[in-house]
PDB file of all heavy atoms in Angstrom:
ATOM      1  N   ALA A   1     108.089  96.886 124.945  1.00  0.00           N
ATOM      2  CA  ALA A   1     108.295  97.533 123.650  1.00  0.00           C
ATOM      3  C   ALA A   1     107.079  98.368 123.266  1.00  0.00           C
ATOM      4  O   ALA A   1     107.197  99.502 122.774  1.00  0.00           O
ATOM      5  CB  ALA A   1     108.580  96.494 122.578  1.00  0.00           C
ATOM      6  N   ILE A   2     105.874  97.815 123.502  1.00  0.00           N
ATOM      7  CA  ILE A   2     104.645  98.553 123.167  1.00  0.00           C
ATOM      8  C   ILE A   2     104.520  99.793 124.059  1.00  0.00           C
ATOM      9  O   ILE A   2     104.116 100.858 123.586  1.00  0.00           O
ATOM     10  CB  ILE A   2     103.427  97.632 123.328  1.00  0.00           C
ATOM     11  CG1 ILE A   2     103.530  96.456 122.340  1.00  0.00           C
ATOM     12  CG2 ILE A   2     102.135  98.396 123.075  1.00  0.00           C
ATOM     13  CD1 ILE A   2     102.478  95.390 122.517  1.00  0.00           C
ATOM     14  N   LYS A   3     104.892  99.626 125.327  1.00  0.00           N
ATOM     15  CA  LYS A   3     104.871 100.797 126.223  1.00  0.00           C
ATOM     16  C   LYS A   3     105.863 101.859 125.749  1.00  0.00           C
ATOM     17  O   LYS A   3     105.583 103.060 125.800  1.00  0.00           O
ATOM     18  CB  LYS A   3     105.223 100.382 127.647  1.00  0.00           C
ATOM     19  CG  LYS A   3     105.175 101.530 128.645  1.00  0.00           C
ATOM     20  CD  LYS A   3     105.537 101.069 130.041  1.00  0.00           C
ATOM     21  CE  LYS A   3     105.421 102.214 131.042  1.00  0.00           C
ATOM     22  NZ  LYS A   3     106.325 103.346 130.737  1.00  0.00           N
ATOM     23  N   GLU A   4     107.014 101.421 125.242  1.00  0.00           N
ATOM     24  CA  GLU A   4     108.013 102.342 124.719  1.00  0.00           C
ATOM     25  C   GLU A   4     107.463 103.141 123.544  1.00  0.00           C
ATOM     26  O   GLU A   4     107.718 104.341 123.399  1.00  0.00           O
ATOM     27  CB  GLU A   4     109.255 101.560 124.294  1.00  0.00           C
ATOM     28  CG  GLU A   4     110.454 102.425 123.981  1.00  0.00           C
ATOM     29  CD  GLU A   4     111.317 102.708 125.205  1.00  0.00           C
ATOM     30  OE1 GLU A   4     110.971 102.269 126.296  1.00  0.00           O
ATOM     31  OE2 GLU A   4     112.327 103.408 125.035  1.00  0.00           O
ATOM     32  N   ILE A   5     106.702 102.479 122.678  1.00  0.00           N
ATOM     33  CA  ILE A   5     106.076 103.158 121.543  1.00  0.00           C
ATOM     34  C   ILE A   5     105.099 104.226 122.042  1.00  0.00           C
ATOM     35  O   ILE A   5     105.077 105.350 121.518  1.00  0.00           O
ATOM     36  CB  ILE A   5     105.345 102.141 120.636  1.00  0.00           C
ATOM     37  CG1 ILE A   5     106.371 101.216 119.983  1.00  0.00           C
ATOM     38  CG2 ILE A   5     104.514 102.860 119.568  1.00  0.00           C
ATOM     39  CD1 ILE A   5     105.769 100.024 119.266  1.00  0.00           C
ATOM     40  N   MET A   6     104.308 103.856 123.044  1.00  0.00           N
ATOM     41  CA  MET A   6     103.366 104.835 123.646  1.00  0.00           C
ATOM     42  C   MET A   6     104.129 106.020 124.211  1.00  0.00           C
ATOM     43  O   MET A   6     103.798 107.194 123.963  1.00  0.00           O
ATOM     44  CB  MET A   6     102.550 104.158 124.726  1.00  0.00           C
ATOM     45  CG  MET A   6     101.616 105.093 125.476  1.00  0.00           C
ATOM     46  SD  MET A   6     101.007 104.384 127.021  1.00  0.00           S
ATOM     47  CE  MET A   6     102.476 104.501 128.058  1.00  0.00           C
ATOM     48  N   ASP A   7     105.172 105.750 124.999  1.00  0.00           N
ATOM     49  CA  ASP A   7     105.954 106.813 125.618  1.00  0.00           C
ATOM     50  C   ASP A   7     106.617 107.727 124.593  1.00  0.00           C
ATOM     51  O   ASP A   7     106.575 108.946 124.683  1.00  0.00           O
ATOM     52  CB  ASP A   7     107.050 106.212 126.521  1.00  0.00           C
ATOM     53  CG  ASP A   7     106.480 105.577 127.779  1.00  0.00           C
ATOM     54  OD1 ASP A   7     105.303 105.805 128.094  1.00  0.00           O
ATOM     55  OD2 ASP A   7     107.229 104.820 128.436  1.00  0.00           O
ATOM     56  N   ASP A   8     107.243 107.106 123.588  1.00  0.00           N
ATOM     57  CA  ASP A   8     107.969 107.889 122.591  1.00  0.00           C
ATOM     58  C   ASP A   8     107.023 108.779 121.796  1.00  0.00           C
ATOM     59  O   ASP A   8     107.325 109.945 121.516  1.00  0.00           O
ATOM     60  CB  ASP A   8     108.707 106.951 121.624  1.00  0.00           C
ATOM     61  CG  ASP A   8     109.934 106.329 122.254  1.00  0.00           C
ATOM     62  OD1 ASP A   8     110.274 106.716 123.389  1.00  0.00           O
ATOM     63  OD2 ASP A   8     110.562 105.446 121.638  1.00  0.00           O
ATOM     64  N   SER A   9     105.866 108.253 121.421  1.00  0.00           N
ATOM     65  CA  SER A   9     104.921 109.051 120.638  1.00  0.00           C
ATOM     66  C   SER A   9     104.393 110.216 121.480  1.00  0.00           C
ATOM     67  O   SER A   9     104.155 111.321 120.979  1.00  0.00           O
ATOM     68  CB  SER A   9     103.761 108.191 120.117  1.00  0.00           C
ATOM     69  OG  SER A   9     103.053 107.580 121.185  1.00  0.00           O
ATOM     70  N   PHE A  10     104.220 109.978 122.788  1.00  0.00           N
ATOM     71  CA  PHE A  10     103.748 111.041 123.683  1.00  0.00           C
ATOM     72  C   PHE A  10     104.789 112.150 123.810  1.00  0.00           C
ATOM     73  O   PHE A  10     104.473 113.338 123.727  1.00  0.00           O
ATOM     74  CB  PHE A  10     103.450 110.416 125.052  1.00  0.00           C
ATOM     75  CG  PHE A  10     103.001 111.426 126.077  1.00  0.00           C
ATOM     76  CD1 PHE A  10     101.739 111.980 126.040  1.00  0.00           C
ATOM     77  CD2 PHE A  10     103.851 111.810 127.116  1.00  0.00           C
ATOM     78  CE1 PHE A  10     101.332 112.910 126.993  1.00  0.00           C
ATOM     79  CE2 PHE A  10     103.448 112.722 128.071  1.00  0.00           C
ATOM     80  CZ  PHE A  10     102.186 113.265 128.010  1.00  0.00           C
ATOM     81  N   GLU A  11     106.038 111.760 124.018  1.00  0.00           N
ATOM     82  CA  GLU A  11     107.098 112.766 124.162  1.00  0.00           C
ATOM     83  C   GLU A  11     107.306 113.556 122.893  1.00  0.00           C
ATOM     84  O   GLU A  11     107.524 114.766 122.929  1.00  0.00           O
ATOM     85  CB  GLU A  11     108.411 112.079 124.577  1.00  0.00           C
ATOM     86  CG  GLU A  11     108.404 111.498 125.980  1.00  0.00           C
ATOM     87  CD  GLU A  11     108.053 112.533 127.028  1.00  0.00           C
ATOM     88  OE1 GLU A  11     108.535 113.686 126.926  1.00  0.00           O
ATOM     89  OE2 GLU A  11     107.284 112.202 127.946  1.00  0.00           O
ATOM     90  N   LEU A  12     107.231 112.892 121.756  1.00  0.00           N
ATOM     91  CA  LEU A  12     107.371 113.598 120.482  1.00  0.00           C
ATOM     92  C   LEU A  12     106.223 114.573 120.252  1.00  0.00           C
ATOM     93  O   LEU A  12     106.417 115.651 119.684  1.00  0.00           O
ATOM     94  CB  LEU A  12     107.446 112.582 119.325  1.00  0.00           C
ATOM     95  CG  LEU A  12     108.734 111.787 119.224  1.00  0.00           C
ATOM     96  CD1 LEU A  12     108.590 110.627 118.261  1.00  0.00           C
ATOM     97  CD2 LEU A  12     109.889 112.689 118.786  1.00  0.00           C
ATOM     98  N   LEU A  13     105.038 114.199 120.715  1.00  0.00           N
ATOM     99  CA  LEU A  13     103.904 115.115 120.632  1.00  0.00           C
ATOM    100  C   LEU A  13     104.174 116.381 121.422  1.00  0.00           C
ATOM    101  O   LEU A  13     103.901 117.488 120.965  1.00  0.00           O
ATOM    102  CB  LEU A  13     102.638 114.450 121.207  1.00  0.00           C
ATOM    103  CG  LEU A  13     101.631 113.820 120.262  1.00  0.00           C
ATOM    104  CD1 LEU A  13     100.427 113.332 121.044  1.00  0.00           C
ATOM    105  CD2 LEU A  13     101.202 114.764 119.163  1.00  0.00           C
ATOM    106  N   LYS A  14     104.718 116.225 122.622  1.00  0.00           N
ATOM    107  CA  LYS A  14     104.979 117.382 123.475  1.00  0.00           C
ATOM    108  C   LYS A  14     106.089 118.266 122.894  1.00  0.00           C
ATOM    109  O   LYS A  14     106.212 119.417 123.249  1.00  0.00           O
ATOM    110  CB  LYS A  14     105.350 116.917 124.886  1.00  0.00           C
ATOM    111  CG  LYS A  14     104.195 116.236 125.614  1.00  0.00           C
ATOM    112  CD  LYS A  14     104.318 116.339 127.112  1.00  0.00           C
ATOM    113  CE  LYS A  14     105.570 115.647 127.594  1.00  0.00           C
ATOM    114  NZ  LYS A  14     105.694 115.736 129.084  1.00  0.00           N
ATOM    115  N   GLN A  15     106.874 117.684 122.010  1.00  0.00           N
ATOM    116  CA  GLN A  15     107.922 118.455 121.347  1.00  0.00           C
ATOM    117  C   GLN A  15     107.449 119.028 119.996  1.00  0.00           C
ATOM    118  O   GLN A  15     108.228 119.497 119.194  1.00  0.00           O
ATOM    119  CB  GLN A  15     109.156 117.557 121.131  1.00  0.00           C
ATOM    120  CG  GLN A  15     109.805 117.123 122.443  1.00  0.00           C
ATOM    121  CD  GLN A  15     110.795 116.006 122.269  1.00  0.00           C
ATOM    122  OE1 GLN A  15     111.574 115.992 121.323  1.00  0.00           O
ATOM    123  NE2 GLN A  15     110.761 115.034 123.148  1.00  0.00           N
ATOM    124  N   ASN A  16     106.130 118.957 119.795  1.00  0.00           N
ATOM    125  CA  ASN A  16     105.501 119.479 118.570  1.00  0.00           C
ATOM    126  C   ASN A  16     105.976 118.791 117.302  1.00  0.00           C
ATOM    127  O   ASN A  16     106.037 119.409 116.234  1.00  0.00           O
ATOM    128  CB  ASN A  16     105.733 121.005 118.462  1.00  0.00           C
ATOM    129  CG  ASN A  16     105.049 121.770 119.590  1.00  0.00           C
ATOM    130  OD1 ASN A  16     103.907 121.496 119.934  1.00  0.00           O
ATOM    131  ND2 ASN A  16     105.773 122.699 120.185  1.00  0.00           N
ATOM    132  N   GLU A  17     106.327 117.515 117.417  1.00  0.00           N
ATOM    133  CA  GLU A  17     106.742 116.719 116.263  1.00  0.00           C
ATOM    134  C   GLU A  17     105.532 115.938 115.714  1.00  0.00           C
ATOM    135  O   GLU A  17     105.567 114.713 115.609  1.00  0.00           O
ATOM    136  CB  GLU A  17     107.874 115.779 116.625  1.00  0.00           C
ATOM    137  CG  GLU A  17     109.167 116.443 117.040  1.00  0.00           C
ATOM    138  CD  GLU A  17     109.902 117.083 115.849  1.00  0.00           C
ATOM    139  OE1 GLU A  17     109.436 116.904 114.717  1.00  0.00           O
ATOM    140  OE2 GLU A  17     110.930 117.742 116.080  1.00  0.00           O
ATOM    141  N   SER A  18     104.476 116.657 115.370  1.00  0.00           N
ATOM    142  CA  SER A  18     103.210 116.001 114.988  1.00  0.00           C
ATOM    143  C   SER A  18     103.359 115.143 113.733  1.00  0.00           C
ATOM    144  O   SER A  18     102.798 114.038 113.657  1.00  0.00           O
ATOM    145  CB  SER A  18     102.127 117.044 114.770  1.00  0.00           C
ATOM    146  OG  SER A  18     101.871 117.750 115.965  1.00  0.00           O
ATOM    147  N   LEU A  19     104.084 115.623 112.740  1.00  0.00           N
ATOM    148  CA  LEU A  19     104.250 114.855 111.515  1.00  0.00           C
ATOM    149  C   LEU A  19     105.006 113.562 111.791  1.00  0.00           C
ATOM    150  O   LEU A  19     104.636 112.492 111.284  1.00  0.00           O
ATOM    151  CB  LEU A  19     104.984 115.690 110.459  1.00  0.00           C
ATOM    152  CG  LEU A  19     105.213 115.004 109.093  1.00  0.00           C
ATOM    153  CD1 LEU A  19     103.874 114.595 108.490  1.00  0.00           C
ATOM    154  CD2 LEU A  19     105.965 115.915 108.144  1.00  0.00           C
ATOM    155  N   LEU A  20     106.052 113.652 112.584  1.00  0.00           N
ATOM    156  CA  LEU A  20     106.827 112.467 112.926  1.00  0.00           C
ATOM    157  C   LEU A  20     105.968 111.469 113.706  1.00  0.00           C
ATOM    158  O   LEU A  20     106.021 110.262 113.468  1.00  0.00           O
ATOM    159  CB  LEU A  20     108.051 112.865 113.757  1.00  0.00           C
ATOM    160  CG  LEU A  20     109.068 111.772 114.093  1.00  0.00           C
ATOM    161  CD1 LEU A  20     109.561 111.079 112.830  1.00  0.00           C
ATOM    162  CD2 LEU A  20     110.226 112.347 114.887  1.00  0.00           C
ATOM    163  N   VAL A  21     105.134 111.970 114.633  1.00  0.00           N
ATOM    164  CA  VAL A  21     104.245 111.090 115.406  1.00  0.00           C
ATOM    165  C   VAL A  21     103.228 110.413 114.487  1.00  0.00           C
ATOM    166  O   VAL A  21     102.967 109.217 114.630  1.00  0.00           O
ATOM    167  CB  VAL A  21     103.522 111.906 116.512  1.00  0.00           C
ATOM    168  CG1 VAL A  21     102.450 111.036 117.192  1.00  0.00           C
ATOM    169  CG2 VAL A  21     104.514 112.413 117.536  1.00  0.00           C
ATOM    170  N   SER A  22     102.656 111.168 113.549  1.00  0.00           N
ATOM    171  CA  SER A  22     101.634 110.590 112.663  1.00  0.00           C
ATOM    172  C   SER A  22     102.209 109.457 111.824  1.00  0.00           C
ATOM    173  O   SER A  22     101.525 108.462 111.551  1.00  0.00           O
ATOM    174  CB  SER A  22     101.058 111.668 111.754  1.00  0.00           C
ATOM    175  OG  SER A  22     102.013 112.113 110.800  1.00  0.00           O
ATOM    176  N   ARG A  23     103.481 109.569 111.454  1.00  0.00           N
ATOM    177  CA  ARG A  23     104.117 108.504 110.680  1.00  0.00           C
ATOM    178  C   ARG A  23     104.538 107.344 111.573  1.00  0.00           C
ATOM    179  O   ARG A  23     104.303 106.179 111.248  1.00  0.00           O
ATOM    180  CB  ARG A  23     105.327 109.069 109.934  1.00  0.00           C
ATOM    181  CG  ARG A  23     104.983 110.124 108.912  1.00  0.00           C
ATOM    182  CD  ARG A  23     106.237 110.691 108.258  1.00  0.00           C
ATOM    183  NE  ARG A  23     106.957 109.676 107.516  1.00  0.00           N
ATOM    184  CZ  ARG A  23     108.231 109.764 107.154  1.00  0.00           C
ATOM    185  NH1 ARG A  23     108.933 110.830 107.493  1.00  0.00           N
ATOM    186  NH2 ARG A  23     108.805 108.792 106.469  1.00  0.00           N
ATOM    187  N   PHE A  24     105.161 107.664 112.690  1.00  0.00           N
ATOM    188  CA  PHE A  24     105.645 106.647 113.610  1.00  0.00           C
ATOM    189  C   PHE A  24     104.516 105.751 114.109  1.00  0.00           C
ATOM    190  O   PHE A  24     104.654 104.518 114.170  1.00  0.00           O
ATOM    191  CB  PHE A  24     106.353 107.348 114.782  1.00  0.00           C
ATOM    192  CG  PHE A  24     106.769 106.467 115.922  1.00  0.00           C
ATOM    193  CD1 PHE A  24     107.310 105.198 115.707  1.00  0.00           C
ATOM    194  CD2 PHE A  24     106.614 106.896 117.230  1.00  0.00           C
ATOM    195  CE1 PHE A  24     107.704 104.390 116.765  1.00  0.00           C
ATOM    196  CE2 PHE A  24     106.998 106.100 118.286  1.00  0.00           C
ATOM    197  CZ  PHE A  24     107.527 104.844 118.055  1.00  0.00           C
ATOM    198  N   THR A  25     103.384 106.359 114.460  1.00  0.00           N
ATOM    199  CA  THR A  25     102.279 105.591 115.047  1.00  0.00           C
ATOM    200  C   THR A  25     101.479 104.801 114.032  1.00  0.00           C
ATOM    201  O   THR A  25     100.560 104.071 114.412  1.00  0.00           O
ATOM    202  CB  THR A  25     101.340 106.528 115.838  1.00  0.00           C
ATOM    203  OG1 THR A  25     101.001 107.664 115.029  1.00  0.00           O
ATOM    204  CG2 THR A  25     102.005 106.999 117.127  1.00  0.00           C
ATOM    205  N   GLU A  26     101.789 104.931 112.752  1.00  0.00           N
ATOM    206  CA  GLU A  26     101.191 104.008 111.763  1.00  0.00           C
ATOM    207  C   GLU A  26     101.565 102.571 112.121  1.00  0.00           C
ATOM    208  O   GLU A  26     100.856 101.615 111.802  1.00  0.00           O
ATOM    209  CB  GLU A  26     101.697 104.322 110.339  1.00  0.00           C
ATOM    210  CG  GLU A  26     101.077 105.544 109.707  1.00  0.00           C
ATOM    211  CD  GLU A  26     101.573 105.734 108.276  1.00  0.00           C
ATOM    212  OE1 GLU A  26     101.536 104.730 107.515  1.00  0.00           O
ATOM    213  OE2 GLU A  26     102.000 106.835 107.929  1.00  0.00           O
ATOM    214  N   TYR A  27     102.697 102.434 112.773  1.00  0.00           N
ATOM    215  CA  TYR A  27     103.239 101.126 113.118  1.00  0.00           C
ATOM    216  C   TYR A  27     102.334 100.324 114.069  1.00  0.00           C
ATOM    217  O   TYR A  27     102.311  99.096 114.036  1.00  0.00           O
ATOM    218  CB  TYR A  27     104.613 101.332 113.756  1.00  0.00           C
ATOM    219  CG  TYR A  27     105.358 100.083 114.147  1.00  0.00           C
ATOM    220  CD1 TYR A  27     105.909  99.237 113.183  1.00  0.00           C
ATOM    221  CD2 TYR A  27     105.509  99.743 115.488  1.00  0.00           C
ATOM    222  CE1 TYR A  27     106.608  98.100 113.543  1.00  0.00           C
ATOM    223  CE2 TYR A  27     106.216  98.590 115.854  1.00  0.00           C
ATOM    224  CZ  TYR A  27     106.755  97.779 114.875  1.00  0.00           C
ATOM    225  OH  TYR A  27     107.445  96.643 115.238  1.00  0.00           O
ATOM    226  N   ILE A  28     101.574 101.029 114.923  1.00  0.00           N
ATOM    227  CA  ILE A  28     100.776 100.330 115.921  1.00  0.00           C
ATOM    228  C   ILE A  28      99.652  99.501 115.306  1.00  0.00           C
ATOM    229  O   ILE A  28      99.158  98.557 115.938  1.00  0.00           O
ATOM    230  CB  ILE A  28     100.171 101.330 116.949  1.00  0.00           C
ATOM    231  CG1 ILE A  28      99.267 102.338 116.271  1.00  0.00           C
ATOM    232  CG2 ILE A  28     101.266 101.981 117.763  1.00  0.00           C
ATOM    233  CD1 ILE A  28      98.580 103.279 117.240  1.00  0.00           C
ATOM    234  N   SER A  29      99.268  99.812 114.059  1.00  0.00           N
ATOM    235  CA  SER A  29      98.211  99.028 113.410  1.00  0.00           C
ATOM    236  C   SER A  29      98.650  97.592 113.148  1.00  0.00           C
ATOM    237  O   SER A  29      97.815  96.709 112.928  1.00  0.00           O
ATOM    238  CB  SER A  29      97.788  99.701 112.096  1.00  0.00           C
ATOM    239  OG  SER A  29      98.869  99.712 111.182  1.00  0.00           O
ATOM    240  N   LYS A  30      99.953  97.350 113.186  1.00  0.00           N
ATOM    241  CA  LYS A  30     100.487  96.017 112.929  1.00  0.00           C
ATOM    242  C   LYS A  30     100.584  95.157 114.205  1.00  0.00           C
ATOM    243  O   LYS A  30     100.880  93.980 114.134  1.00  0.00           O
ATOM    244  CB  LYS A  30     101.878  96.115 112.307  1.00  0.00           C
ATOM    245  CG  LYS A  30     101.899  96.766 110.939  1.00  0.00           C
ATOM    246  CD  LYS A  30     103.279  96.692 110.343  1.00  0.00           C
ATOM    247  CE  LYS A  30     103.294  97.208 108.922  1.00  0.00           C
ATOM    248  NZ  LYS A  30     104.595  97.015 108.278  1.00  0.00           N
ATOM    249  N   ILE A  31     100.332  95.785 115.363  1.00  0.00           N
ATOM    250  CA  ILE A  31     100.528  95.097 116.626  1.00  0.00           C
ATOM    251  C   ILE A  31      99.231  94.496 117.136  1.00  0.00           C
ATOM    252  O   ILE A  31      98.210  95.198 117.249  1.00  0.00           O
ATOM    253  CB  ILE A  31     101.103  96.051 117.699  1.00  0.00           C
ATOM    254  CG1 ILE A  31     102.413  96.668 117.194  1.00  0.00           C
ATOM    255  CG2 ILE A  31     101.317  95.326 119.017  1.00  0.00           C
ATOM    256  CD1 ILE A  31     102.957  97.746 118.111  1.00  0.00           C
ATOM    257  N   GLU A  32      99.250  93.210 117.411  1.00  0.00           N
ATOM    258  CA  GLU A  32      98.085  92.520 117.984  1.00  0.00           C
ATOM    259  C   GLU A  32      98.327  92.375 119.498  1.00  0.00           C
ATOM    260  O   GLU A  32      99.238  91.665 119.909  1.00  0.00           O
ATOM    261  CB  GLU A  32      97.912  91.142 117.350  1.00  0.00           C
ATOM    262  CG  GLU A  32      97.428  91.164 115.913  1.00  0.00           C
ATOM    263  CD  GLU A  32      95.993  91.703 115.798  1.00  0.00           C
ATOM    264  OE1 GLU A  32      95.236  91.569 116.775  1.00  0.00           O
ATOM    265  OE2 GLU A  32      95.667  92.269 114.739  1.00  0.00           O
ATOM    266  N   PRO A  33      97.506  93.040 120.308  1.00  0.00           N
ATOM    267  CA  PRO A  33      97.703  92.953 121.768  1.00  0.00           C
ATOM    268  C   PRO A  33      97.455  91.539 122.278  1.00  0.00           C
ATOM    269  O   PRO A  33      96.550  90.845 121.816  1.00  0.00           O
ATOM    270  CB  PRO A  33      96.684  93.946 122.315  1.00  0.00           C
ATOM    271  CG  PRO A  33      95.619  94.035 121.264  1.00  0.00           C
ATOM    272  CD  PRO A  33      96.325  93.871 119.952  1.00  0.00           C
ATOM    273  N   ARG A  34      98.257  91.129 123.268  1.00  0.00           N
ATOM    274  CA  ARG A  34      98.138  89.787 123.842  1.00  0.00           C
ATOM    275  C   ARG A  34      97.498  89.800 125.224  1.00  0.00           C
ATOM    276  O   ARG A  34      97.152  88.756 125.738  1.00  0.00           O
ATOM    277  CB  ARG A  34      99.518  89.137 123.928  1.00  0.00           C
ATOM    278  CG  ARG A  34     100.257  89.017 122.616  1.00  0.00           C
ATOM    279  CD  ARG A  34     101.687  88.529 122.830  1.00  0.00           C
ATOM    280  NE  ARG A  34     102.415  89.447 123.709  1.00  0.00           N
ATOM    281  CZ  ARG A  34     103.649  89.240 124.163  1.00  0.00           C
ATOM    282  NH1 ARG A  34     104.274  88.109 123.835  1.00  0.00           N
ATOM    283  NH2 ARG A  34     104.249  90.105 124.943  1.00  0.00           N
ATOM    284  N   ASN A  35      97.347  90.970 125.809  1.00  0.00           N
ATOM    285  CA  ASN A  35      96.742  91.072 127.132  1.00  0.00           C
ATOM    286  C   ASN A  35      96.182  92.482 127.328  1.00  0.00           C
ATOM    287  O   ASN A  35      96.319  93.353 126.453  1.00  0.00           O
ATOM    288  CB  ASN A  35      97.779  90.767 128.222  1.00  0.00           C
ATOM    289  CG  ASN A  35      99.076  91.558 128.029  1.00  0.00           C
ATOM    290  OD1 ASN A  35      99.048  92.795 127.947  1.00  0.00           O
ATOM    291  ND2 ASN A  35     100.198  90.864 127.953  1.00  0.00           N
ATOM    292  N   GLU A  36      95.535  92.689 128.455  1.00  0.00           N
ATOM    293  CA  GLU A  36      94.882  93.969 128.725  1.00  0.00           C
ATOM    294  C   GLU A  36      95.887  95.123 128.794  1.00  0.00           C
ATOM    295  O   GLU A  36      95.603  96.230 128.377  1.00  0.00           O
ATOM    296  CB  GLU A  36      94.087  93.892 130.037  1.00  0.00           C
ATOM    297  CG  GLU A  36      92.836  93.038 129.938  1.00  0.00           C
ATOM    298  CD  GLU A  36      92.006  93.101 131.204  1.00  0.00           C
ATOM    299  OE1 GLU A  36      92.367  93.887 132.126  1.00  0.00           O
ATOM    300  OE2 GLU A  36      91.003  92.366 131.279  1.00  0.00           O
TER     301      GLU A  36
END
């Protein structure tokens, strides 16, 4: 799921959806990584 967030934000960036990416990636601040 975390990889999917990374992939989706990257693809949206390439589609020039910067505003959508800036909002979507606010979500990552809530995620606590469990491994490298």
Side-chain angles (χ1 to χ4, degrees):
I2 298 172
K3 182 180 183 300
E4 190 89 359
I5 294 169
M6 176 196 74
D7 289 346
D8 286 353
S9 59
F10 178 74
E11 291 305 319
L12 288 168
L13 261 185
K14 294 206 297 180
Q15 294 167 42
N16 295 316
E17 295 287 355
S18 298
L19 181 58
L20 186 55
V21 172
S22 70
R23 297 177 64 198
F24 172 41
T25 49
E26 285 184 49
Y27 181 72
I28 60 176
S29 64
K30 297 185 175 186
I31 303 173
E32 289 294 333
R34 302 172 301 174
N35 50 54
E36 289 186 5

